[in-house]
Structures are given as C-alpha cells and as structure tokens.
Amino acid sequence: MTDWPRVRLHVVTGKGGTGKSTVASALALALATRGRNVLLCEVEGRQGIARMFDVDPLPYEERRLTTGLPDEDGGRGVVHALHIDAEAALLEYLAMYYRLGRAGRALDRFGVIEFATTIAPGVRDVLLTGKVYEAVQRNSRNKNAIRYDAVVLDAPPTGRITQFLNVSNELAGLAKVGPIKAQSDTMMTLFRSPRTAVHLVTVLEEMPVQETADGIAELREAALPVGGVIVNQIRPRDLTAPELAAARVGRLDRSRIEGDLERAGVPHDATLVDGLLTEAHDHAERRALEDSQREVVAGLDVPTYELPRFAGGIDLGALYEMAGVIREQGLA
C-alpha cells in the first residue's frame, strides 16, 4: 500500500549529485503497475531520461518508454516519457491560445521566444509546468491523448523548486491579467492540492541535508505540499557498532584481521593490514557522519525512505531493483 494514495503528481527534487533523476525514474517504474499509465517528465534540458534508459534523445512529445515493475500477480503498467522544452512549449501555447499556428515561429525573429524562455524566468516556468499540469488534468474528453494515473516530474534542484512551482507569485510582476496569468493561477490550485507531493532527495551529508531542510521550510511557507524525504545511496552496514567504535579510535584487533586473511587464503604483509585498518577507520568516520545526519533527517517531521547505494552504478536492472525498494517502503 502506498503512503500517497491521493497523489497524481509526484515532483522529485534534490541537490545536484544526490540522484534525484535516478529516484524519479525508479519512482515512475514503481508506480506503473496493474495496467496503470505513468508519465515521467523532465524540464532541465539535459536529456537525463534518455541516458538513464539508454534510448535516443526524446523529442517534445510523449513516448512509450518501458513497462513498469510487476506486481505480485505479474501485472505491469507502462511508463511514458516526455522531454519538455520551453521553446516548443511556447509555440504550442501560442497555437492553442492565440491560434497563431506556424506564424508563431516568426516571433523568433523578433526575440519574443528568447525573452519568454530566457529573460523572463517566470514565464518560462509557466510554460514548463503548464505541460505537466495538462498531463495531470486530462479526462475522457481528451480522446486522442493518453490518460495518466500518475505523473512523475524530474524537477529543478531544491534551491529553485519553490520558485519553479510557485508560478503565480513569480508572474506577479510580469503579467497581472491575461490568459497566461489565468493559466498560472489555475495551475496553482493543483500544485497546492493533496493531489501533488514534492519529494526531496538527499544523501547523508551535511550540505544536502541542510538544503533539504531549507527546501522543506520554503515549500511550507509557499503553501506547497511537502511529500517525503528520500535518503539515497545508503551504504551497507558491514561492521557492528562495537567494531565501528574500535575502528574510529584505532583499536581493531590486528591479529584477528591477519588470521581472517590467512583463513581466506589471501597473501598479506604489514602494508596490506595497515591499509585495511586505515580503510576501516575512514569507513567508521563516514558512518558516524551519516548517523548524525540521519538524526537531522528524522527531525524534519516528514515521511522518510532509504535507498541503497549500488556499487556497480545505475543501469536499467538497478533502476528496477530501486523501484522494488520504493514500493516495499510505501513511496509508491
């Protein structure tokens, strides 16, 4: 059972390097079950979805990407992908609301598109989030478009997520009336509703955890719905608490290590044992830091999920494995 049964739009953010795109992809796989259609979107222009799933660069249109994680009965859903480009979104917007059609491209010669997509970030964010909003809001009247049971947005980093989603406030100084202002106000009803959850990805390091705490405070101040905190890249617990304590102060039993190496048939000398003791000390220090940051995360008063570190890196198999962990823990 998911902890978020009412959520249709899962926004995934996180500090750079925490693995937010990986988590967003795995979340989409976990949600796509029992015939459910899930849309995985990206808005940063990096083609991260294509690289993650080893497919050709995505165009500005929805594409079938892969099947989701099977449920206990073997039922799967389908994950679709969409690379949202601000320029293409603007041209679509002009065609939809102003019926400019191909004439809209002529505006490029006058710098209108550059202004809207680069110089005016509030307008750019409305265009990007507007496409996500449309995908979430589809109903039976959209006969030619796929209806999605869930949409997962690989969003901008934590430091910009509130500004990105709070489009109505960001547009206040640019457009006080008109269709684009009305659209932004309408989108805010979704972004501030129980159908949306903003999940924050972090690792157990001081700066990402602090940025996560700051991001939660900013989201709450803007009345945007905070989802869960996903702690990524958790290392396995190979040493007991007493062994970790001994390693930190340099009191591991050297003779025991030498005996274990001999029983394993590993040739060794003093240099090798010294190196192992140094690695054990560094590991213990790292674990102590992680434990202190885990306490900080626990104090954020939001649901928390932990995903393992994959030593061999992230490939499609690891994504499905991560999706399984996500489902087991109740995020999907």
Side-chain angles (χ1 to χ4, degrees):
M1 295 293 293
T2 175
D3 296 338
W4 312 96
R6 300 178 62 188
V7 172
R8 289 279 305 281
L9 173 58
H10 296 264
V11 180
V12 181
T13 185
K15 181 177 172 59
T18 59
K20 74 174 178 65
S21 297
T22 302
V23 172
S25 300
L27 177 57
L29 290 174
L31 288 166
T33 185
R34 297 186 177 91
R36 291 161 56 92
N37 281 313
V38 176
L39 180 64
L40 174 62
C41 306
E42 63 181 358
V43 294
E44 295 185 274
R46 297 184 291 107
Q47 288 289 349
I49 295 175
R51 289 194 298 271
M52 191 77 62
F53 289 89
D54 194 23
V55 298
D56 293 335
L58 297 170
Y60 180 63
E61 63 182 52
E62 294 159 29
R63 290 284 180 89
R64 189 183 195 277
L65 186 62
T66 186
T67 55
L69 189 72
D71 60 23
E72 60 274 10
D73 299 320
R76 294 177 182 261
V78 178
V79 177
H80 301 258
L82 174 62
H83 174 81
I84 305 176
D85 173 76
E87 180 177 332
L90 175 59
L91 293 173
E92 182 182 52
Y93 177 86
L94 293 172
M96 182 181 303
Y97 288 95
Y98 294 96
R99 303 186 185 282
L100 292 182
R102 295 181 180 179
R105 296 188 177 277
L107 295 175
D108 198 15
R109 288 178 290 178
F110 299 98
V112 174
I113 290 177
E114 181 181 2
F115 171 80
T117 59
T118 306
I119 302 173
V123 175
R124 180 180 183 275
D125 290 347
V126 170
L127 296 168
L128 295 173
T129 54
K131 189 64 177 179
V132 177
Y133 172 83
E134 185 274 330
V136 175
Q137 293 292 93
R138 284 178 193 167
N139 53 41
S140 58
R141 289 177 295 180
N142 303 102
K143 295 182 180 179
N144 297 322
I146 299 171
R147 291 185 63 192
Y148 294 106
D149 300 286
V151 175
V152 179
L153 173 59
D154 180 7
T158 312
R160 208 175 84 76
I161 189 61
T162 300
Q163 178 186 1
F164 178 74
L165 291 176
N166 198 15
V167 288
S168 182
N169 185 65
E170 294 301 316
L171 268 181
L174 289 171
K176 298 184 183 300
V177 295
I180 196 165
K181 178 63 167 67
Q183 181 184 2
S184 68
D185 290 342
T186 302
M187 289 191 301
M188 290 310 300
T189 62
L190 169 65
F191 297 158
R192 288 196 169 116
S193 77
R195 294 193 298 157
T196 297
V198 184
H199 306 296
L200 300 96
V201 182
T202 187
V203 293
L204 292 177
E205 297 175 5
E206 189 171 346
M207 286 185 63
V209 169
Q210 183 59 54
E211 190 164 313
T212 298
D214 293 342
I216 290 173
E218 291 173 3
L219 288 166
R220 286 174 172 165
E221 185 177 355
L224 291 164
V226 176
V229 170
I230 299 119
V231 183
N232 196 21
Q233 302 176 23
I234 295 293
R235 288 170 170 77
R237 293 180 172 269
D238 296 324
L239 298 178
T240 65
E243 289 170 337
L244 287 170
R248 289 190 69 193
V249 297
R251 292 182 179 175
L252 283 177
D253 189 340
R254 184 185 185 94
S255 61
R256 179 181 173 185
I257 294 174
E258 291 173 339
D260 289 342
L261 290 171
E262 289 176 2
R263 283 188 290 274
V266 178
H268 63 277
D269 55 17
T271 302
L272 175 61
V273 176
D274 288 341
L276 291 173
L277 290 171
T278 299
E279 287 189 16
H281 173 269
D282 293 344
H283 174 74
E285 289 287 348
R286 172 75 188 191
R287 283 293 308 280
L289 171 64
E290 290 180 348
D291 289 343
S292 68
Q293 293 306 306
R294 184 179 276 107
E295 291 180 6
V296 176
V297 171
L300 296 176
D301 193 29
V302 295
T304 302
Y305 309 89
E306 293 194 353
L307 301 178
R309 179 174 180 265
F310 292 87
I314 299 296
D315 56 13
L316 190 57
L319 276 179
Y320 276 103
E321 188 174 343
M322 184 179 290
V325 176
I326 283 174
R327 187 180 297 169
E328 288 172 3
Q329 295 191 17
L331 181 57

